[in-house]
Amino acid sequence: MKELVASKSITHFSVGLTDGTDWKCGHTLSIAGCMMMLCERGNVDITINSRRYSMTEGEMAFIVFDMVVVPVKVSDDFRARFISVDYDAAQDIFFLVTSNRFWEFIYASTVFRLPDEFREVARHWFMQLDWIVATCQENTAVRVLLNEMENAMSVMAEQVEAHLGMLGTNPPKNRAWTMVNEFLGLLNRYYTHRHDVAFYADKLNITPNYLNIISKRNIGTTAKEQINIQISLVVKMLLDTTDLTVKEIAERLHYDDPSYLCRVFRKQTGLSPVQYRNRNDKRRE
């Protein structure tokens, strides 16, 4: 029987312990803004953007709203400390962390092992967050947690940059960068129903062409390419974790024409959905 664990939610934040019982294996885990999680014991198998991780004791995950996250298997003794931040607060925090190298690291290594000297520091940091939420008035707790998240990310960014030898080379962020991140947040919210750039541009009160331009400049892909990347990641997840047919996947993602979805997927992966599933099935044999 799993040990009882607890968490507490306040404005913008949820902190505490999880044993994964509230996760539905094989289904997408909803991340409103971002979540930091430190595994204390046990393990969880999880796919993030179709890359599979086995998170074990001493490993940390930094998960962002535009990632496709699917828990696959949770051990009976799994236990992890976490802090979850909603979209609005995450955007404010992200804007202050200007390290491009840090974000490259997070997207390439979403689950990573902490060096031994940092592991106990991280554990005490999470416990401190619990104490703040349990002890302070909510207004105070929210203000302190915002500062704690900003500080933690700044420290992590410095460590990543120092390790990669790129300290002090990052340009300041601007309004266009913020709009691109707003676009990514909207995409995470609406990708199952809306695949057109015009919809997202209208939400941001800019033209589709301008959204494509600032997206290309800030994340290396146009808005349309990013939509197709997001769709392909979700298709991969559904092919890997369900027995849905291509037609059923197309219906779930609101594509009237399954062949169009297949063309989008092939352009991103070089394979048709059926070829992708068959290849993975053979690898698992």
Side-chain angles (χ1 to χ4, degrees):
M1 182 176 179
K2 284 180 177 289
E3 177 180 342
L4 293 177
V5 295
S7 64
K8 184 174 181 180
S9 297
I10 60 174
T11 304
H12 300 307
F13 295 97
S14 179
V15 301
L17 294 165
T18 182
D19 57 8
T21 53
D22 55 338
W23 302 344
K24 193 172 182 181
C25 290
H27 291 74
T28 305
L29 184 65
S30 178
I31 305 296
C34 73
M35 181 172 68
M36 291 175 61
M37 181 168 59
L38 176 66
C39 181
E40 289 197 332
R41 70 174 186 229
N43 63 84
V44 57
D45 288 345
I46 191 168
T47 66
I48 302 173
N49 290 350
S50 290
R51 182 176 179 180
R52 186 156 178 157
Y53 297 89
S54 183
M55 187 179 181
T56 59
E57 181 181 348
E59 291 187 313
M60 180 177 282
F62 193 108
I63 304 171
V64 184
F65 59 83
D66 61 342
M67 296 175 177
V68 179
V69 182
V70 183
V72 178
K73 183 179 180 182
V74 183
S75 70
D76 288 337
D77 60 341
F78 175 69
R79 177 173 172 172
R81 295 188 178 273
F82 75 94
I83 177 169
S84 180
V85 186
D86 72 12
Y87 179 78
D88 291 336
Q91 288 297 295
D92 291 340
I93 295 166
F94 292 174
F95 187 80
L96 298 175
V97 180
T98 61
S99 169
N100 293 334
R101 281 288 187 173
F102 170 72
W103 292 113
E104 290 171 2
F105 172 81
I106 290 300
Y107 279 86
S109 308
T110 308
V111 176
F112 51 94
R113 178 160 294 279
L114 290 174
D116 291 343
E117 63 269 25
F118 294 152
R119 201 170 302 165
E120 195 61 23
V121 173
R123 182 173 178 274
H124 281 291
W125 181 73
F126 278 101
M127 293 173 65
Q128 177 180 297
L129 300 182
D130 286 342
W131 182 88
I132 290 168
V133 173
T135 306
C136 300
Q137 294 292 322
E138 182 162 333
N139 288 342
T140 301
V142 169
R143 185 171 65 252
V144 173
L145 290 185
L146 283 170
N147 289 333
E148 287 292 331
M149 282 294 293
E150 291 169 8
N151 292 338
M153 288 178 63
S154 294
V155 169
M156 286 192 293
E158 181 178 285
Q159 292 298 315
V160 168
E161 291 185 353
H163 177 70
L164 295 175
M166 295 294 292
L167 196 60
T169 62
N170 297 289
K173 292 181 171 62
N174 53 30
R175 175 58 182 159
W177 182 92
T178 302
M179 295 182 76
V180 170
N181 274 268
E182 290 176 359
F183 158 63
L184 293 174
L186 290 168
L187 178 58
N188 188 59
R189 195 177 308 167
Y190 294 109
Y191 69 84
T192 59
H193 290 75
R194 302 306 300 254
H195 318 125
D196 54 307
V197 177
F199 169 80
Y200 298 98
D202 184 63
K203 288 280 187 182
L204 296 169
N205 295 314
I206 58 178
T207 67
N209 185 53
Y210 183 63
L211 179 54
N212 276 318
I213 290 171
I214 62 175
S215 178
K216 182 71 172 179
R217 287 177 179 173
N218 282 274
I219 59 176
T221 58
T222 65
K224 184 58 179 176
E225 289 168 342
Q226 193 61 37
I227 292 169
N228 289 343
I229 289 170
Q230 179 80 1
I231 290 296
S232 295
L233 287 171
V234 175
V235 172
K236 280 184 179 181
M237 179 271 292
L238 293 172
L239 291 170
D240 288 338
T241 61
T242 74
D243 294 324
L244 293 174
T245 66
V246 174
K247 183 175 184 295
E248 289 170 334
I249 291 173
E251 290 173 351
R252 180 173 291 196
L253 295 175
H254 291 83
Y255 278 88
D256 295 331
D257 182 3
S259 64
Y260 182 76
L261 177 61
C262 290
R263 290 195 295 273
V264 170
F265 187 82
R266 182 184 288 277
K267 187 173 182 180
Q268 293 298 319
T269 66
L271 300 170
S272 72
V274 172
Q275 289 171 330
Y276 176 85
R277 176 174 273 167
N278 289 342
R279 185 187 68 174
N280 284 0
D281 287 344
K282 287 179 181 179
R283 287 178 176 176
R284 287 192 285 265
E285 289 176 355

